Amino acid sequence: MENSIRERVMVRLERCVGCRSCEIACRVAHSRSGTLLGAIDERPKPERRIFVEQVAENPAPFLCRHCEDAPCVRCCPTGALRFDEPRGVVVYLRDRCIGCHACVMACPFRVIQRGRGDEFVTKCDRCPDREQPACVEACPTRALVLETDFVSERRRRTVSRFVDAARIMPGAEEPAAPGGVQNP
């Protein structure tokens, strides 16, 4: 696990404008043609693996979180869903799926969906043949970002907010200069 690349698609809710570019890019990336015009004519229509929903007053993108201890993986009776440790993603093996849809019911984020026209399911695969997932690449406001070091990035942003808040607080002591000497 030390050498594994852990990537997460991080959602910055404050940046999402609800344009649904991520949904369109996802459908095109998973279409047979790989093009927007080709995808429009395909039957059945290519399915999205990301969903932009209205939450209160704001749009919010939802996609598979690729949980390490994924409920969908735990409930799959055939092993059609499994956690790929090196990539850090939940992988769907269609040839092992029996169409029971237990994963659809188990997913706490409701992002695994029944397939159109057959008994199988559709879920985010994080676009394994691309450098970045199509949804991330298409997002014009960078509300979706692929982060590899997401824990330390989140920690860095949190510490930065605390430092910034301390700087603007009236009466806050100025930090000591190197060597323990107070700044004049």
Side-chain angles (χ1 to χ4, degrees):
M1 183 123 125
E2 288 290 319
N3 297 330
S4 66
I5 298 173
R6 294 298 181 157
E7 296 178 330
R8 294 277 192 257
V9 175
M10 302 303 287
V11 177
R12 297 177 179 167
L13 290 174
E14 71 279 2
R15 291 186 175 201
C16 182
V17 295
C19 68
R20 299 183 185 270
S21 294
C22 55
E23 289 182 351
I24 295 168
C26 182
R27 286 180 191 257
V28 170
H30 292 92
S31 68
R32 289 185 303 277
S33 66
T35 67
L36 179 58
L37 289 175
I40 290 170
D41 290 332
E42 287 182 18
R43 298 292 180 261
K45 294 269 186 216
E47 295 181 54
R48 61 188 168 154
R49 282 120 170 108
I50 184 168
F51 306 88
V52 178
E53 303 290 340
Q54 214 44 42
V55 177
E57 301 284 320
N58 304 311
F62 289 92
L63 67 158
C64 183
R65 303 311 303 156
H66 296 281
C67 310
E68 286 185 40
D69 186 24
C72 61
V73 171
R74 286 194 318 260
C75 77
C76 183
T78 63
L81 289 168
R82 65 176 176 80
F83 188 76
D84 181 357
E85 193 71 35
R87 287 185 50 225
V89 297
V90 173
V91 178
Y92 171 60
L93 305 169
R94 183 181 172 115
D95 60 326
R96 297 188 76 171
C97 182
I98 58 172
C100 70
H101 299 115
C103 56
V104 173
M105 294 179 277
C107 177
F109 301 102
R110 303 291 184 241
V111 293
I112 300 176
Q113 63 182 344
R114 294 173 189 255
R116 289 186 182 162
D118 62 30
E119 70 277 2
F120 300 107
V121 299
T122 303
K123 71 166 292 302
C124 173
D125 58 4
R126 195 147 342 118
C127 300
D129 300 333
R130 302 173 63 104
E131 195 170 311
Q132 285 194 67
C135 59
V136 171
E137 199 172 289
C139 184
T141 61
R142 292 192 35 84
L144 299 173
V145 179
L146 185 67
E147 291 185 356
T148 53
D149 194 10
F150 57 93
V151 173
S152 41
E153 174 61 22
R154 181 175 284 175
R155 189 177 305 124
R156 185 194 60 72
R157 283 194 308 251
T158 301
V159 168
S160 177
R161 274 185 279 172
F162 283 121
V163 169
D164 290 345
R167 284 187 188 140
I168 61 172
M169 288 176 55
E173 286 187 31
E174 201 169 309
V181 180
Q182 283 293 105
N183 290 331

